[in-house]
Amino acid sequence: MHVWSVANQKGGVGKTTTVVTVAGLLAEVGYRVLLVDLDPHGSLTSYFGYDPDELEHSVYDLFATKHKINREGVERLLLKSSHDRIDLIPASTAMATLERKAIGEEGMGLQVAKALAQVRDSYDYVLIDSPPVLGVLMVNALAACQHLLVPVQTEFLALKGLERMVRTISMINRARSKSKKLSFTIIPTFYDRRTQASVSSLRELHNKYPNEISNAVIPVDTKFRNASIRGLVPSVMDSSSRGVHSYARLLRSLLERQKQEVL
């Protein structure tokens, strides 16, 4: 089972769109995919028609049970998505209280990793949607994954948010052994080649992060919004859209990287 987290310490950069689009493309070629919504705002949960304010069970349960995580408890959290090969562990608004409750609690950064271990034989890929805040939920996302996807809107303020995220990754890697360093891929999003802001921001990303930036650049595409309105993964809504083609290119490079790491 491969676990990819999607994170950035700035909101509105395309994290949820990245999660649902990559998940849809994986599912379309036959993989079983689990999505985990770690953002208390619950955008990923809402995408598939669930109300984070009304759910009886959510990611919050993993922290309420502390060290008593078992397969039955994790399976109780699973919800169906609009795609038959994609399941969801949803978020709830109660998760907003976790930062305060986690103070002084040991082992709270590994709860999601422990939960995923219980269902590792049920899924080929897990994609985790992280909150834009460095805290216990993002720490769980980073601890659980083998690779990190960092969407970055191609505009100046988003580049500043990326700098914070890169510092966080560096801090985490200093505490890890060489064989367990967290690798990451930067994904330029909301690209509009007609604007100087997008063009100059993309150039700066290539200059500062030549080894981490993806060659797949995600354009502004209204088809993403249309898909979210209907609760469909974008590749099902319109497989020919520019945005889906760009994410397909990203996925091919990620799978190739994964293959090379195994060799």
Side-chain angles (χ1 to χ4, degrees):
M1 184 175 74
H2 304 281
V3 184
W4 296 342
S5 288
V6 181
N8 194 327
Q9 286 172 246
K10 184 183 185 305
V13 297
K15 293 191 299 295
T16 301
T17 297
T18 297
V19 169
V20 297
T21 309
V22 172
L25 290 166
L26 286 167
E28 288 297 298
V29 294
Y31 290 115
R32 300 163 301 167
V33 184
L34 174 63
L35 306 183
V36 183
D37 192 353
L38 290 188
D39 191 340
H41 289 107
S43 296
L44 179 60
T45 301
S46 298
Y47 190 103
F48 291 111
Y50 298 103
D51 186 345
D53 290 323
E54 302 293 334
L55 292 172
E56 182 180 359
H57 298 291
S58 73
V59 166
Y60 182 84
D61 295 23
L62 300 178
F63 296 87
T65 56
K66 295 184 181 178
H67 302 292
K68 300 176 183 177
I69 295 174
N70 55 40
R71 186 181 181 95
E72 182 182 357
V74 176
E75 290 180 339
R76 185 171 61 240
L77 307 181
L78 299 175
L79 297 176
K80 291 295 182 183
S81 76
S82 56
H83 197 294
D84 60 5
R85 292 194 188 96
I86 301 175
D87 291 336
L88 169 71
I89 295 181
S92 66
T93 50
M95 290 160 55
T97 66
L98 287 174
E99 299 301 331
R100 174 172 48 82
K101 293 180 178 180
I103 296 174
E105 289 278 357
E106 292 187 7
M108 292 287 275
L110 298 174
Q111 295 301 91
V112 172
K114 292 176 182 177
L116 295 181
Q118 300 297 317
V119 292
R120 66 167 55 252
D121 58 340
S122 298
Y123 299 98
D124 302 301
Y125 284 87
V126 179
L127 284 103
I128 301 174
D129 195 1
S130 306
V133 178
L134 179 57
V136 67
L137 290 167
M138 183 182 286
V139 166
N140 268 268
L142 300 182
C145 72
Q146 292 114 20
H147 191 67
L148 180 65
L149 307 182
V150 186
V152 181
Q153 186 175 355
T154 46
E155 57 96 23
F156 177 73
L157 290 179
L159 299 189
K160 290 298 181 183
L162 174 61
E163 291 175 6
R164 291 194 298 274
M165 192 70 230
V166 170
R167 285 198 296 270
T168 296
I169 296 169
S170 297
M171 177 182 68
I172 288 171
N173 280 338
R174 283 196 295 271
R176 290 188 172 195
S177 64
K178 187 175 182 179
S179 63
K180 294 185 178 180
K181 299 293 186 187
L182 181 59
S183 58
F184 65 99
T185 298
I186 294 169
I187 307 166
T189 59
F190 294 98
Y191 182 70
D192 186 346
R193 64 183 179 181
R194 298 169 299 179
T195 68
Q196 183 58 36
S198 274
V199 172
S200 61
S201 295
L202 182 60
R203 185 184 305 119
E204 184 172 350
L205 284 171
H206 277 286
N207 289 337
K208 293 188 71 172
Y209 308 101
N211 298 320
E212 291 81 20
I213 188 168
S214 169
N215 287 327
V217 179
I218 312 303
V220 174
D221 190 341
T222 57
K223 299 292 179 64
F224 290 135
R225 183 168 61 247
N226 295 342
S228 70
I229 291 171
R230 295 184 59 182
L232 299 174
V233 296
S235 55
V236 168
M237 180 72 179
D238 187 351
S239 61
S240 65
S241 73
R242 293 183 307 135
V244 169
H245 277 296
S246 295
Y247 273 112
R249 184 181 180 188
L250 168 68
L251 180 58
R252 286 194 297 270
S253 69
L254 292 172
L255 294 177
E256 182 60 31
R257 177 195 179 100
Q258 183 177 283
K259 188 187 302 182
Q260 292 299 321
E261 288 175 347
V262 171
L263 296 177

